[in-house]
Amino acid sequence: MRTQPVILAIDAFLEHVHATYPGVRVFHEDRKDIPHGAEVWRPGPNAQNIDLVVTLGGDGTILHASSLFSSGAVPPVLSFSMGTLGFLLPFHIDDFAKALESVFTRKATILNRMRLACTFYDNNLSKKTAEGDDWQVMNEIALHRGSSPHLNTIDIFVDGQHLTEAVSDGLIVSTPTGSTAYSLSAGGPIVHPSLSALVLTPICPRSLSFRPLVFPSSSVVTLRIGDRSRAPAGVSMDGRTSHVLNPGESVNVQASPFPVPCINRSSIIDSSTAEELQHSEGAGPGTEDDWVRDINNLLQYNATFRSKALLRHSRT
């Protein structure tokens, strides 16, 4: 259920859209709490074409919006934070008027965030899903042992070549966007989201020499549950439980042809600020990197471990 602040923000947003852009039709996914002034929208091959996706909430709302367009191209995504910090939330809800203006005046800039296409196969190498019904994920696909006390044994193939047999709690294949999510917690590298790459990260591997790997986006990574595996592998994609793979079954992971075009925070810079920044150090207006700012502000990248309290009492 939506909280009261979110309901009020949606109402204010819709009121602004109808007043400022009266010719714009607003759609909302089919659910019980559709706000007044929005039409019902259902995903699928016959769905109404959408020109812009707007999300209010946390990073999970963008992942959910991505999942609604799993069979084709994703419209540009304009995402607003409701007080929650996140890598996928460039705008605060208070800036919705400026952000919309940048879109309608064609001043918005976008970052195409890569997605993964995941295809599942049974032990006879037959597809477990219908043709063209691949799963599209924005952050990662994770194979894990779930509630089993036993480690998974997973054979990893890259472009058809056997890479290794992984004995671990599981494996993660992430996008550059997902490299700051589950993969990072498992010890994976931080990858800039403008790159096209697949990041393979083990979860608690038995071997200390099993390190994360980064592959080009042209690679196809196949994860096959080994015949000797003592446990099936649960599959979660962008935090959603989807499948259970038994020994002999597999999943192919590759770059999707349909990225998620996310509108950048730098799109709403005003002319006076732009003139000031034009003569200052660093990136020029409209080109500054949201991601660089985010890894410093959100991850505290390379920050000292000494707390402010310790610094106050330090004699050095």
Side-chain angles (χ1 to χ4, degrees):
M1 295 295 292
R2 291 188 172 121
T3 61
Q4 190 64 22
V6 172
I7 294 173
L8 294 175
I10 291 174
D11 290 342
F13 180 87
L14 290 177
E15 182 179 352
H16 175 78
V17 170
H18 292 314
T20 312
Y21 311 101
V24 173
R25 297 173 65 188
V26 179
F27 292 87
H28 190 285
E29 67 170 313
D30 190 9
R31 49 184 285 175
K32 293 181 180 179
D33 53 356
I34 295 177
H36 178 72
E39 304 176 50
V40 177
W41 183 85
R42 299 179 180 88
N46 300 318
Q48 173 74 37
N49 288 334
I50 301 296
D51 300 306
L52 176 70
V53 175
V54 177
T55 69
L56 283 73
D59 282 352
T61 58
I62 306 177
L63 300 180
H64 176 66
S66 168
S67 71
L68 296 177
F69 299 89
S70 59
S71 60
V74 184
V77 178
L78 183 60
S79 53
F80 294 99
S81 163
M82 290 296 297
T84 304
L85 296 177
F87 273 90
L88 306 180
L89 303 170
F91 299 100
H92 191 273
I93 188 60
D94 294 342
D95 295 324
F96 71 76
K98 287 183 180 179
L100 280 176
E101 181 183 4
S102 73
V103 172
F104 282 94
T105 56
R106 300 177 181 273
K107 295 179 181 178
T109 60
I110 64 169
L111 170 65
N112 281 314
R113 292 182 178 269
M114 172 185 166
R115 290 200 295 178
L116 301 176
C118 307
T119 309
F120 294 88
Y121 296 89
D122 61 22
N123 52 13
N124 294 317
L125 298 182
S126 299
K127 274 191 176 184
K128 299 183 69 173
T129 53
E131 191 71 30
D133 192 24
D134 295 343
W135 287 70
Q136 306 277 328
V137 296
M138 187 174 176
N139 265 3
E140 77 279 307
I141 174 172
L143 275 61
H144 53 84
R145 63 187 178 94
S147 60
S148 172
H150 304 294
L151 298 178
N152 283 135
T153 301
I154 302 174
D155 286 304
I156 305 172
F157 299 84
V158 179
D159 295 329
Q161 293 184 299
H162 187 258
L163 175 67
T164 189
E165 179 186 72
V167 181
S168 63
D169 278 357
L171 295 171
I172 302 167
V173 181
S174 76
T175 62
T177 294
S179 70
T180 51
Y182 191 6
S183 175
L184 181 62
S185 298
I190 300 175
V191 183
H192 195 286
S194 65
L195 298 178
S196 294
L198 283 73
V199 181
L200 175 69
T201 308
I203 305 171
C204 299
R206 185 175 67 180
S207 171
L208 292 178
S209 63
F210 189 4
R211 310 310 301 162
L213 293 172
V214 180
F215 300 103
S217 60
S218 58
S219 298
V220 178
V221 176
T222 301
L223 306 178
R224 180 183 178 274
I225 310 305
D227 294 328
R228 296 184 300 162
S229 182
R230 299 176 63 189
V235 181
S236 64
M237 294 186 284
D238 284 349
R240 297 171 296 149
T241 301
S242 60
H243 294 70
V244 174
L245 294 180
N246 294 302
E249 298 182 328
S250 60
V251 57
N252 278 7
V253 184
Q254 58 189 322
S256 166
F258 306 113
V260 180
C262 296
I263 296 176
N264 291 323
R265 180 190 298 120
S266 54
S267 300
I268 65 171
I269 188 169
D270 55 48
S271 56
S272 60
T273 306
E275 190 173 349
E276 291 176 10
L277 292 177
Q278 195 72 51
H279 306 290
S280 63
E281 287 189 29
T287 62
E288 59 269 29
D289 197 331
D290 295 345
W291 178 83
V292 171
R293 183 164 44 234
D294 286 343
I295 65 167
N296 281 289
N297 293 342
L298 303 182
L299 288 185
Q300 297 294 305
Y301 179 70
N302 200 33
T304 176
F305 285 100
R306 301 179 70 188
S307 70
K308 292 182 179 178
L310 289 175
L311 288 175
R312 282 198 301 268
H313 297 288
S314 174
R315 296 184 180 181
T316 59

